[in-house]
Amino acid sequence: MIPLLSSLPLGALRGHLAMLLFSALVAGSFSFGVMAAPHIAPAAMNAARFAIAAVIVGAAAMATGGIERSAFRAPWRYAVLGAIFGSYFVLMFEGLKTAPAVSASAVFTLTPLMAAGFGFVLLRQRLTRRIALALMIGAAGAVWVIFRGDLGALMRLEVGRGEAVYFAGCAAHALYTPLVRLLNRGERPVVFTFGTLVAGAILIALYGRSAIAQTDWAALPAIVWVTLAYIAVIASAATFTLLQYAALHLPSSKVMAYTYLTPSWVIALEAALGHGVPPVIVLLGVAMTVAALMLLLKEE
């Protein structure tokens, strides 16, 4: 992978490296999320997540140049982005109540194909034949994993409820990527991320106010707090900034191409946690997603 990146301009190279780190950090959300999801409402978990992440990113913004007054122009932009990304995370945790971690991460790899579609509609970003082929290979690999290598289940379209719910969330994620470039007016990634997180925290709190009030926070098991710490600090504050940076330097399809690495990271983490590994026939689909990533990274 590194030889494919070595000849790129500095901005694009940093964008690729940001997304490489992004894919590794996101993977933990699936494994931890599956363990925490049964114990807390998705809206309650993500309201806390966005609020904590907003504090962290806001502090980082103040420490690295401050938040310019110009960043508050057209605050509706942050409301739009916060609502879209907040929807993604709420639907993700709703899906993880029943979807296995590896299967859910495979659904996530359908995001690049959808992001390419939204990128064309919003930014007129066109696909070459090679990128289109790569997206189709990646999507086919994802579908193979989602149906666990069972052709009969594929023909009958036996999709689990968790996977279906999470797919709707991934569509929101795909829309978010080109919207960042469309709505950004020169704000630094960390400042733009802060605005999005604040708006998302407010909107999720309003949506889930009943669930938040009904949650017995003191009685939550330790895995919920571990997961909350991980997704707020690592899978929110860090990955939001990485995604914002990459979206400003790379086409939408290439930004989201790195999601193809997520199932591989998840499989490694699940094995490390003692949760086993999928059957070999399922790993064929994972190999297809990695092949798709290689095609997407190759320069024209």
Side-chain angles (χ1 to χ4, degrees):
M1 186 184 303
I2 298 301
L4 292 175
L5 304 180
S6 59
S7 61
L8 295 175
L10 184 59
L13 175 60
R14 288 176 175 173
H16 282 291
L17 293 177
M19 289 310 297
L20 181 63
L21 180 57
F22 169 91
S23 68
L25 297 179
V26 163
S29 299
F30 294 97
S31 294
F32 288 121
V34 164
M35 293 186 285
H39 304 291
I40 185 171
M45 170 69 89
N46 284 288
R49 169 203 203 140
F50 270 63
I52 295 170
V55 171
I56 295 171
V57 173
M62 294 302 295
T64 57
I67 301 174
E68 307 83 0
R69 292 185 63 181
S70 59
F72 296 101
R73 293 174 301 175
W76 61 266
R77 296 174 298 153
Y78 302 118
V80 170
L81 292 173
I84 290 172
F85 223 24
S87 297
Y88 163 74
F89 283 112
V90 171
L91 291 171
M92 173 186 180
F93 271 79
E94 184 64 36
L96 286 175
K97 289 181 178 179
T98 55
V102 175
S103 182
S105 68
V107 176
F108 188 50
T109 63
L110 294 173
T111 308
L113 185 61
M114 294 186 282
F118 287 127
F120 173 76
V121 172
L122 297 175
L123 302 173
R124 290 296 182 264
Q125 293 177 340
R126 296 183 179 276
L127 299 180
T128 64
R129 291 182 179 179
R130 178 178 52 78
I131 290 179
L133 174 62
L135 292 175
M136 296 305 296
I137 291 174
V143 169
W144 186 257
V145 176
I146 292 166
F147 287 96
R148 299 167 180 79
D150 186 340
L151 288 176
L154 174 60
M155 296 302 294
R156 295 188 298 272
L157 294 179
E158 292 180 356
V159 181
R161 178 186 179 278
E163 287 88 343
V165 169
Y166 185 44
F167 176 81
C170 288
H173 194 302
L175 176 60
Y176 174 85
T177 305
L179 277 180
V180 167
R181 179 174 289 195
L182 183 67
L183 297 180
N184 184 276
R185 297 183 180 178
E187 295 88 356
R188 294 184 298 132
V190 67
V191 173
F192 205 56
T193 300
F194 173 68
T196 302
L197 287 168
V198 170
I202 294 171
L203 292 172
I204 295 174
L206 289 173
Y207 166 76
R209 57 189 180 278
S210 177
I212 295 171
Q214 293 173 12
T215 299
D216 186 353
W217 295 92
L220 291 173
I223 186 59
V224 174
W225 294 108
V226 171
T227 301
L228 180 58
Y230 182 89
I231 64 176
V233 179
I234 303 299
S236 289
T239 59
F240 276 23
T241 303
L242 292 170
L243 181 60
Q244 297 263 15
Y245 181 88
L248 295 173
H249 292 84
L250 301 172
S252 298
S253 59
K254 289 199 174 187
V255 169
M256 300 316 299
Y258 279 92
T259 62
Y260 288 138
L261 279 182
T262 304
S264 299
W265 290 119
V266 171
I267 288 171
L269 181 56
E270 287 288 285
L273 291 172
H275 297 168
V277 296
V280 174
I281 193 170
V282 173
L283 296 180
L284 174 62
V286 176
M288 293 171 68
T289 62
V290 174
L293 172 64
M294 295 298 103
L295 278 173
L296 285 168
L297 292 184
K298 188 175 184 298
E299 289 300 303
E300 298 295 341

mmCIF file with all atom_site columns, all heavy atoms in Angstrom, residues 267-268 270-271 275-279 283:
data_model
loop_
_atom_site.group_PDB
_atom_site.id
_atom_site.type_symbol
_atom_site.label_atom_id
_atom_site.label_alt_id
_atom_site.label_comp_id
_atom_site.label_asym_id
_atom_site.label_entity_id
_atom_site.label_seq_id
_atom_site.pdbx_PDB_ins_code
_atom_site.Cartn_x
_atom_site.Cartn_y
_atom_site.Cartn_z
_atom_site.occupancy
_atom_site.B_iso_or_equiv
_atom_site.pdbx_formal_charge
_atom_site.auth_seq_id
_atom_site.auth_comp_id
_atom_site.auth_asym_id
_atom_site.auth_atom_id
_atom_site.pdbx_PDB_model_num
ATOM 1  N N   . ILE A 1 267 ? -11.874 -8.196  12.359 1.00 0.00 ? 267 ILE A N   1
ATOM 2  C CA  . ILE A 1 267 ? -11.554 -9.612  12.520 1.00 0.00 ? 267 ILE A CA  1
ATOM 3  C C   . ILE A 1 267 ? -10.345 -9.775  13.443 1.00 0.00 ? 267 ILE A C   1
ATOM 4  O O   . ILE A 1 267 ? -10.324 -10.630 14.336 1.00 0.00 ? 267 ILE A O   1
ATOM 5  C CB  . ILE A 1 267 ? -11.293 -10.267 11.151 1.00 0.00 ? 267 ILE A CB  1
ATOM 6  C CG1 . ILE A 1 267 ? -12.617 -10.411 10.385 1.00 0.00 ? 267 ILE A CG1 1
ATOM 7  C CG2 . ILE A 1 267 ? -10.632 -11.634 11.312 1.00 0.00 ? 267 ILE A CG2 1
ATOM 8  C CD1 . ILE A 1 267 ? -12.444 -10.851 8.947  1.00 0.00 ? 267 ILE A CD1 1
ATOM 9  N N   . ALA A 1 268 ? -9.313  -8.943  13.235 1.00 0.00 ? 268 ALA A N   1
ATOM 10 C CA  . ALA A 1 268 ? -8.121  -9.010  14.086 1.00 0.00 ? 268 ALA A CA  1
ATOM 11 C C   . ALA A 1 268 ? -8.468  -8.676  15.539 1.00 0.00 ? 268 ALA A C   1
ATOM 12 O O   . ALA A 1 268 ? -8.012  -9.357  16.475 1.00 0.00 ? 268 ALA A O   1
ATOM 13 C CB  . ALA A 1 268 ? -7.054  -8.060  13.559 1.00 0.00 ? 268 ALA A CB  1
ATOM 14 N N   . GLU A 1 270 ? -11.501 -8.873  17.005 1.00 0.00 ? 270 GLU A N   1
ATOM 15 C CA  . GLU A 1 270 ? -12.358 -9.911  17.563 1.00 0.00 ? 270 GLU A CA  1
ATOM 16 C C   . GLU A 1 270 ? -11.534 -11.128 17.987 1.00 0.00 ? 270 GLU A C   1
ATOM 17 O O   . GLU A 1 270 ? -11.783 -11.726 19.029 1.00 0.00 ? 270 GLU A O   1
ATOM 18 C CB  . GLU A 1 270 ? -13.408 -10.330 16.521 1.00 0.00 ? 270 GLU A CB  1
ATOM 19 C CG  . GLU A 1 270 ? -14.504 -9.304  16.293 1.00 0.00 ? 270 GLU A CG  1
ATOM 20 C CD  . GLU A 1 270 ? -15.456 -9.233  17.464 1.00 0.00 ? 270 GLU A CD  1
ATOM 21 O OE1 . GLU A 1 270 ? -16.284 -10.140 17.630 1.00 0.00 ? 270 GLU A OE1 1
ATOM 22 O OE2 . GLU A 1 270 ? -15.346 -8.259  18.240 1.00 0.00 ? 270 GLU A OE2 1
ATOM 23 N N   . ALA A 1 271 ? -10.534 -11.472 17.187 1.00 0.00 ? 271 ALA A N   1
ATOM 24 C CA  . ALA A 1 271 ? -9.658  -12.591 17.544 1.00 0.00 ? 271 ALA A CA  1
ATOM 25 C C   . ALA A 1 271 ? -8.871  -12.268 18.810 1.00 0.00 ? 271 ALA A C   1
ATOM 26 O O   . ALA A 1 271 ? -8.718  -13.109 19.701 1.00 0.00 ? 271 ALA A O   1
ATOM 27 C CB  . ALA A 1 271 ? -8.709  -12.897 16.382 1.00 0.00 ? 271 ALA A CB  1
ATOM 28 N N   . HIS A 1 275 ? -13.074 -13.675 20.627 1.00 0.00 ? 275 HIS A N   1
ATOM 29 C CA  . HIS A 1 275 ? -14.404 -13.922 20.069 1.00 0.00 ? 275 HIS A CA  1
ATOM 30 C C   . HIS A 1 275 ? -14.370 -14.809 18.833 1.00 0.00 ? 275 HIS A C   1
ATOM 31 O O   . HIS A 1 275 ? -15.394 -15.007 18.186 1.00 0.00 ? 275 HIS A O   1
ATOM 32 C CB  . HIS A 1 275 ? -15.076 -12.580 19.721 1.00 0.00 ? 275 HIS A CB  1
ATOM 33 C CG  . HIS A 1 275 ? -15.311 -11.706 20.920 1.00 0.00 ? 275 HIS A CG  1
ATOM 34 N ND1 . HIS A 1 275 ? -15.663 -10.376 20.825 1.00 0.00 ? 275 HIS A ND1 1
ATOM 35 C CD2 . HIS A 1 275 ? -15.229 -11.981 22.254 1.00 0.00 ? 275 HIS A CD2 1
ATOM 36 C CE1 . HIS A 1 275 ? -15.793 -9.863  22.043 1.00 0.00 ? 275 HIS A CE1 1
ATOM 37 N NE2 . HIS A 1 275 ? -15.531 -10.824 22.921 1.00 0.00 ? 275 HIS A NE2 1
ATOM 38 N N   . GLY A 1 276 ? -13.191 -15.339 18.488 1.00 0.00 ? 276 GLY A N   1
ATOM 39 C CA  . GLY A 1 276 ? -13.083 -16.226 17.341 1.00 0.00 ? 276 GLY A CA  1
ATOM 40 C C   . GLY A 1 276 ? -12.947 -15.467 16.031 1.00 0.00 ? 276 GLY A C   1
ATOM 41 O O   . GLY A 1 276 ? -12.939 -14.230 15.996 1.00 0.00 ? 276 GLY A O   1
ATOM 42 N N   . VAL A 1 277 ? -12.831 -16.218 14.930 1.00 0.00 ? 277 VAL A N   1
ATOM 43 C CA  . VAL A 1 277 ? -12.729 -15.631 13.595 1.00 0.00 ? 277 VAL A CA  1
ATOM 44 C C   . VAL A 1 277 ? -13.795 -16.258 12.706 1.00 0.00 ? 277 VAL A C   1
ATOM 45 O O   . VAL A 1 277 ? -14.257 -17.377 12.965 1.00 0.00 ? 277 VAL A O   1
ATOM 46 C CB  . VAL A 1 277 ? -11.334 -15.863 12.975 1.00 0.00 ? 277 VAL A CB  1
ATOM 47 C CG1 . VAL A 1 277 ? -10.254 -15.163 13.785 1.00 0.00 ? 277 VAL A CG1 1
ATOM 48 C CG2 . VAL A 1 277 ? -11.026 -17.364 12.879 1.00 0.00 ? 277 VAL A CG2 1
ATOM 49 N N   . PRO A 1 278 ? -14.217 -15.560 11.643 1.00 0.00 ? 278 PRO A N   1
ATOM 50 C CA  . PRO A 1 278 ? -15.246 -16.105 10.750 1.00 0.00 ? 278 PRO A CA  1
ATOM 51 C C   . PRO A 1 278 ? -14.718 -17.319 9.980  1.00 0.00 ? 278 PRO A C   1
ATOM 52 O O   . PRO A 1 278 ? -13.499 -17.525 9.876  1.00 0.00 ? 278 PRO A O   1
ATOM 53 C CB  . PRO A 1 278 ? -15.527 -14.943 9.784  1.00 0.00 ? 278 PRO A CB  1
ATOM 54 C CG  . PRO A 1 278 ? -14.943 -13.735 10.424 1.00 0.00 ? 278 PRO A CG  1
ATOM 55 C CD  . PRO A 1 278 ? -13.800 -14.219 11.254 1.00 0.00 ? 278 PRO A CD  1
ATOM 56 N N   . PRO A 1 279 ? -15.614 -18.121 9.411  1.00 0.00 ? 279 PRO A N   1
ATOM 57 C CA  . PRO A 1 279 ? -15.188 -19.244 8.569  1.00 0.00 ? 279 PRO A CA  1
ATOM 58 C C   . PRO A 1 279 ? -14.374 -18.753 7.374  1.00 0.00 ? 279 PRO A C   1
ATOM 59 O O   . PRO A 1 279 ? -14.512 -17.594 6.945  1.00 0.00 ? 279 PRO A O   1
ATOM 60 C CB  . PRO A 1 279 ? -16.514 -19.864 8.114  1.00 0.00 ? 279 PRO A CB  1
ATOM 61 C CG  . PRO A 1 279 ? -17.523 -19.400 9.102  1.00 0.00 ? 279 PRO A CG  1
ATOM 62 C CD  . PRO A 1 279 ? -17.078 -18.056 9.558  1.00 0.00 ? 279 PRO A CD  1
ATOM 63 N N   . LEU A 1 283 ? -14.059 -15.172 4.767  1.00 0.00 ? 283 LEU A N   1
ATOM 64 C CA  . LEU A 1 283 ? -12.852 -14.367 4.585  1.00 0.00 ? 283 LEU A CA  1
ATOM 65 C C   . LEU A 1 283 ? -12.603 -14.049 3.116  1.00 0.00 ? 283 LEU A C   1
ATOM 66 O O   . LEU A 1 283 ? -11.888 -13.088 2.796  1.00 0.00 ? 283 LEU A O   1
ATOM 67 C CB  . LEU A 1 283 ? -11.642 -15.097 5.179  1.00 0.00 ? 283 LEU A CB  1
ATOM 68 C CG  . LEU A 1 283 ? -11.682 -15.314 6.695  1.00 0.00 ? 283 LEU A CG  1
ATOM 69 C CD1 . LEU A 1 283 ? -10.435 -16.049 7.159  1.00 0.00 ? 283 LEU A CD1 1
ATOM 70 C CD2 . LEU A 1 283 ? -11.814 -13.984 7.427  1.00 0.00 ? 283 LEU A CD2 1
#
